[in-house]
Amino acid sequence: MTTVRSGGILIVGTPEIALWPLGDLGLWLIIEEGRRAMKAKSTPTLQVRDLVRRRALVERTAVVFLGPVPTLDVLARGAAVVEPSGRVWPLVEIVDRKEDQPGGRSVAARTVLGIRAAVRKGGQVFVFVSRRGYAPAFRCVRCRELRRCIECGSGPDRGDTCRRCGAALGPCRKCGGRRFEPLGAGIGRVAEELVRQLGKEYVGPIGSGKQVLVGSERDLPYVPETVLSVGVDADSLLMAPNYRAEEDAVRLLARVALTVAAGRGRRCLIQSAQPEHRALAALRSGHPREYLAGLGAEREHDHLPPSGEMLAIEVTGDPTICATDIAELETDSIQVHGPETGGGRTRWFIQGPSLHEARVLLRRMVQRWRDAGVKVRIDADPIDL
Ligand SMILES: [Zn+2]
Ligand SMILES: [Zn+2]
């Protein structure tokens, strides 16, 4: 444990602080380094974790990463884990969405009962919804099966092709049904639903002082202590179209659970249509360690970060200029995936145990492509794939 020495200075800053000259630093404390904000969006796509680690090594400063679920990247770099002796986060219960009748509701009947009971006792409740622009999970209206891509397992948005791999989605794979309904919604719609159920005097956004607060990831630091928190749509997080989806889901939902103050009968309700999912088992257990070990072994097997390397090439302009070059990067150990098009861009991603050679080749290629007039963005270790 380290305390701020009397006469010392505590500097609090956004990720950019990792690049500032800071004089004689005693300790870096990085809160929730797995958050998206901890990585720059444009080239060079720097990650706070790596920047600070390298800097701390040179400047001989200690680094502490703080959060309930360490990232596999931090663990792979040999960080020592300090855990509380009891649960890392309070009690978690899973609400099985399959019990719900179809009808397009985001908050299950059982969850509403829990919220109502907490409100009656004067308790504070937080309802967590996925951030804006995140596609909710969809299920078949007829058989209640989750809709997912047969090729890659990702959860689709409203379209008819997979947003990760481009495969056609087709009808429900279990019953052939063609009608689907979302299991989650944005802050506005979830709040409306709760107002209808509980009355508008009880429901509001973060900062409204209401008993039932509805918010998303960016609201998490401002949530007061609760007696009950709710994760509305765990499936949208678990089936997000990238290889880190599960890990990120557990981290985020553990933070939702941590808004609950210790005490009898207090808990976090997480809604899911796949209650047997291992990520939810980990959340129920209150400890991330075993779960992360299993996930790490899987990434190692698949040569995915932190065990392998991955990079994305994103091209705006005529993709045919790059296509042949990129295909040539493929070797026995390096796989090239793509191209995928969307949003006016074409993307490839490259994956293998080591991408050193590919990087060397790529440097020359990128120069040539840029000279030919296309815009190129290289993302080392993309979080959206
Ligand atoms: Zn897919
Ligand atoms: Zn079905």
Side-chain angles (χ1 to χ4, degrees), residues 3 14 92 101 106 123 172 191 204 209 224 379:
T3 49
T14 52
V92 169
Q101 294 298 323
S106 303
C172 170
D379 188 343

Side-chain angles (χ1 to χ4, degrees), residues 90-282:
L91 193 68
V92 169
E93 279 175 30
I94 310 300
V95 175
D96 185 353
R97 299 303 307 262
K98 289 198 181 112
E99 291 167 8
D100 285 15
Q101 294 298 323
R105 286 222 183 95
S106 303
V107 186
R110 216 184 105 198
T111 308
V112 173
L113 281 179
I115 298 175
R116 198 166 270 152
V119 167
R120 217 180 295 129
K121 289 182 202 152
Q124 180 74 61
V125 178
F126 173 58
V127 178
F128 173 83
V129 300
S130 303
R131 71 194 154 82
R132 212 182 301 264
Y134 222 74
F138 283 82
R139 71 170 176 183
C140 170
V141 172
R142 193 154 69 187
C143 76
R144 306 182 195 179
E145 183 75 10
L146 271 176
R147 194 180 202 203
R148 66 168 89 220
C149 171
I150 302 169
E151 297 295 326
C152 74
S154 289
D157 53 17
R158 277 168 204 278
D160 287 321
T161 51
C162 173
R163 60 198 159 127
R164 184 180 191 190
C165 76
L169 294 167
C172 170
R173 59 184 174 155
K174 199 170 158 200
C175 79
R178 288 179 180 279
R179 281 178 53 225
F180 302 93
E181 63 176 4
L183 289 172
I187 296 179
R189 268 203 41 210
V190 170
E192 270 170 38
E193 221 180 291
L194 290 169
V195 164
R196 270 199 304 276
Q197 304 261 7
L198 306 161
K200 67 172 187 300
E201 62 272 39
Y202 295 112
V203 184
I206 301 296
S208 66
K210 299 284 171 73
Q211 260 182 280
V212 180
L213 301 172
V214 185
S216 64
E217 182 175 353
R218 62 173 188 183
D219 298 312
L220 270 171
Y222 311 105
V223 179
E225 279 197 343
T226 66
V227 299
L228 173 71
S229 65
V230 175
V232 168
D233 186 6
D235 302 315
S236 71
L237 302 169
L238 290 169
M239 301 195 304
N242 68 75
Y243 73 93
R244 280 197 172 93
E246 254 197 79
E247 185 192 339
D248 288 343
V250 170
R251 186 168 303 117
L252 201 47
L253 292 169
R255 291 174 64 201
V256 173
L258 273 167
T259 66
V260 178
R264 253 178 88 86
R266 299 182 173 179
R267 67 210 156 125
C268 170
L269 293 177
I270 293 175
Q271 304 193 130
S272 168
Q274 37 188 347
E276 64 296 325
H277 198 292
R278 60 178 178 179
L280 300 177

